[in-house]
Amino acid sequence: MSNFRELPSVDQVLRQLGDLDAIPSALIKNEIRTVLKTRREALQTTGQSEASPVADTVRTRLQNLFASPLRRVINATGVILHTNLGRAPLPAFELLSGYSNLEFDLATGQRGKRDAHLAPLLERLLGRAAIAVNNNAAAVYLALNEVAAGHEVIVSRGELIEIGDGFRIPDIMLRAGVVLREVGSTNRTRLSDYEDAITERTRLILLVHPSNFHITGFTERPPLREVAALGRQHGIPVYQDLGSGCFLSLADKGIQEPLVSETFAAGVNLASFSCDKLMGGPQAGIIAGDAELIQRIRRNPMYRAFRLDKLIIQALETTLRHLLLEDWSKIPTLHMIFTPLADIHARAERVASQLCDITWRLREADSPIGGGSTPDQALRTWVLELELENASSFATILRQQPMPVIARIEHDKLILDMRTVAEKEEPWLVQSVKAAAAEECFHGRS
């Protein structure tokens, strides 16, 4: 289109979209005006604009608007805690529709606290007072701001880490209003470094678990128990940011992560961790520790800004109950970690047997756990390696299926890692792979 006079009027386009009677006409008109404006601007700047009918463009835009962009996908990457796929897959839970007693005490008929739904579970699981906020970054901010705002916090240089999306410990400390007091070096920090840094302005000793990297070689850090004892000696709380929130030992699976229980056994006063990593729950953060400190943090004005909404409370409540009952099979993250290699092999064979027209190879490999936790640690798995003319193109087509499949590519081969594919997802996976193969074949012929 190269002429302004070829552009239709709003009313002309509106009549062509008369079948969209479920959409308010005001919304349709606004969309038409937006498209027409874009085309006028293109004509002004380049002398050309899109040639497709305006009504078709508006229809497509409205269809995309009302098609939810948030979709369920099949994770065939093998990365159990996949940051881009929502980290820990949620346990099944019953979603309460309508009203709920979120902040209402049914026994007294008075206003209640939303903490009441989680507090008993957290205290029994942790053996400490605890509150939940919307993520571990919020937990770190709240703890620092309440306990040490305007004063010094001692932290090892080797623990001034950065995690995903540019979140840096020094930055969050600055925003929390505390003064950073670095001690030790990147690879070696001794107990004497902490002790020498204590002054009358010290209000907290912060320990940060480097959950997304390892430093090896010429390294040193004092045992947690000794740092906690130093804090008690000087009347200074010790706070550990645990990151992943691991509740049971995974050492027999080759996964070395500090346990929340070990942190408190060492005498630490405060700890915080994520709920959507090795804990296997929704996005949230938990702060636990000495009752007096937890009560102070809960009264902090910023707590309200970081508190959980009713949907997350329901999902977290379900996860906590499964942990208390040690029912690991109902927590998808732990279920994937504990799935025997033989079961994954059987799953891979079932899927492969249905891919009749696709060349594949079944082989043993590694599943990285990922998601900002357990760096360089992986689990043995079985994968399907598909022989394709263009693995990247096929991966794109897979992502565009009604049930999108997210795979990984290694050495120009498309890899389907069966550790992160649930048994109930097998039929969907087969259907999506077959449909993608048919589509690629069709495009190849055309």
Side-chain angles (χ1 to χ4, degrees):
M1 186 178 296
S2 59
N3 195 315
F4 284 97
R5 286 176 298 204
E6 295 179 36
L7 291 174
S9 68
V10 172
D11 287 340
Q12 285 176 316
V13 180
L14 187 62
R15 284 194 295 271
Q16 295 171 17
L17 298 172
D19 58 311
L20 300 181
D21 51 0
I23 302 177
S25 61
L27 178 58
I28 300 175
K29 288 178 181 178
N30 284 338
E31 206 66 28
I32 294 171
R33 292 188 183 102
T34 299
V35 172
L36 290 173
K37 180 183 177 184
T38 300
R39 297 201 177 188
R40 288 191 194 97
E41 290 173 348
L43 287 170
Q44 287 174 340
T45 55
T46 67
Q48 294 288 331
S49 76
E50 189 178 335
S52 62
V54 173
D56 290 352
T57 302
V58 172
R59 187 186 299 277
T60 299
R61 287 167 62 97
L62 289 171
Q63 288 172 344
N64 292 339
L65 180 65
F66 289 103
S68 174
L70 189 61
R71 307 259 307 275
R72 175 169 182 161
V73 303
I74 294 176
N75 176 13
T77 67
V79 181
I80 295 175
L81 298 173
H82 199 302
T83 301
N84 298 338
L85 302 182
R87 283 211 184 113
L90 285 176
F93 70 99
E94 183 181 355
L95 181 62
L96 294 177
S97 58
Y99 293 109
S100 69
N101 62 325
L102 179 64
E103 293 187 6
F104 185 78
D105 189 323
L106 294 173
T108 65
Q110 303 297 315
R111 180 183 177 90
K113 295 180 179 179
R114 62 181 66 193
D115 298 22
H117 305 285
L118 298 174
L121 297 169
L122 286 170
E123 289 178 11
R124 284 165 176 78
L125 188 63
L126 298 166
R128 296 291 190 280
I131 57 174
V133 291
N134 58 17
N135 57 29
N136 192 45
V140 174
Y141 175 91
L142 270 178
L144 292 174
N145 182 258
E146 178 55 41
V147 179
H151 295 85
E152 291 183 357
V153 174
I154 300 173
V155 61
S156 167
R157 284 187 175 88
E159 296 175 3
L160 294 175
I161 65 171
E162 176 179 331
I163 59 174
D165 201 27
F167 174 86
R168 292 178 172 179
I169 290 295
D171 294 341
I172 202 71
M173 294 178 73
L174 177 65
R175 292 289 182 177
V178 305
V179 178
L180 168 63
R181 182 71 185 273
E182 301 177 39
V183 298
S185 63
T186 301
N187 59 320
R188 306 199 82 186
T189 301
R190 302 177 180 85
L191 186 67
S192 58
D193 294 322
Y194 289 101
E195 188 165 22
D196 293 343
I198 294 175
T199 69
E200 67 281 355
R201 289 181 50 78
T202 306
R203 290 295 181 273
L204 192 68
I205 297 174
L206 172 63
L207 305 170
V208 184
H209 175 57
S211 58
N212 60 356
F213 70 95
H214 281 153
I215 296 178
T216 59
F218 189 59
T219 65
E220 181 181 351
R221 61 189 301 180
L224 189 59
R225 191 176 297 276
E226 292 184 8
V227 180
L230 177 67
R232 285 194 301 275
Q233 177 185 339
H234 291 271
I236 298 169
V238 175
Y239 165 40
Q240 185 174 32
D241 170 13
L242 281 168
S244 294
C246 192
F247 277 83
L248 68 158
S249 175
L250 303 174
D252 61 335
K253 302 296 180 183
I255 300 171
Q256 303 296 331
E257 279 290 297
L259 300 181
V260 177
S261 58
E262 293 174 344
T263 292
F264 289 124
V268 166
N269 304 98
L270 276 177
S272 69
F273 49 87
S274 297
C275 298
D276 59 344
K277 292 184 181 177
L278 289 177
M279 183 174 160
Q283 178 184 300
I286 290 174
I287 314 171
D290 296 353
E292 181 267 333
L293 290 175
I294 295 299
Q295 188 59 28
R296 280 180 55 188
I297 293 170
R298 195 198 178 285
R299 289 197 299 264
N300 188 290
M302 288 302 293
Y303 171 71
R304 184 177 181 85
F306 297 138
R307 67 181 183 172
L308 300 182
D309 85 311
K310 55 191 173 185
L311 299 181
I312 300 299
I313 287 175
Q314 290 176 56
L316 183 53
E317 184 182 358
T318 300
T319 306
L320 293 173
R321 284 204 178 91
H322 293 327
L323 287 170
L324 274 172
L325 294 172
E326 300 182 3
D327 194 349
W328 320 130
S329 64
K330 290 184 179 178
I331 301 176
T333 295
L334 297 179
H335 179 66
M336 289 180 196
I337 291 173
F338 289 133
T339 299
L341 197 56
D343 290 359
I344 299 173
H345 182 265
R347 186 180 304 158
E349 285 189 320
R350 285 195 300 270
V351 171
S353 67
Q354 300 175 68
L355 303 180
C356 306
D357 299 326
I358 301 174
T359 303
W360 52 266
R361 182 167 74 98
L362 186 60
R363 65 175 175 85
E364 200 170 344
D366 289 322
S367 289
I369 296 176
S373 60
T374 62
D376 305 325
Q377 299 183 53
L379 301 170
R380 294 303 287 171
T381 187
W382 283 92
V383 302
L384 281 174
E385 185 179 271
L386 305 188
E387 295 280 351
L388 304 160
E389 289 187 12
N390 190 325
S392 179
S393 172
F394 195 87
T396 300
I397 298 172
L398 266 182
R399 294 196 302 269
Q400 296 169 349
Q401 296 305 307
M403 176 58 76
V405 176
I406 315 300
R408 71 177 191 254
I409 297 175
E410 293 178 359
H411 308 298
D412 296 324
K413 302 288 194 303
L414 188 123
I415 306 297
L416 301 174
D417 191 322
M418 304 310 294
R419 180 175 288 277
T420 51
V421 177
E423 186 174 346
K424 64 181 180 182
E425 294 176 331
E426 290 177 26
W428 298 334
L429 175 62
V430 170
Q431 183 177 359
S432 293
V433 172
K434 284 184 172 180
E439 187 174 339
E440 185 184 50
C441 183
F442 173 79
H443 288 314
R445 287 198 302 267
S446 59

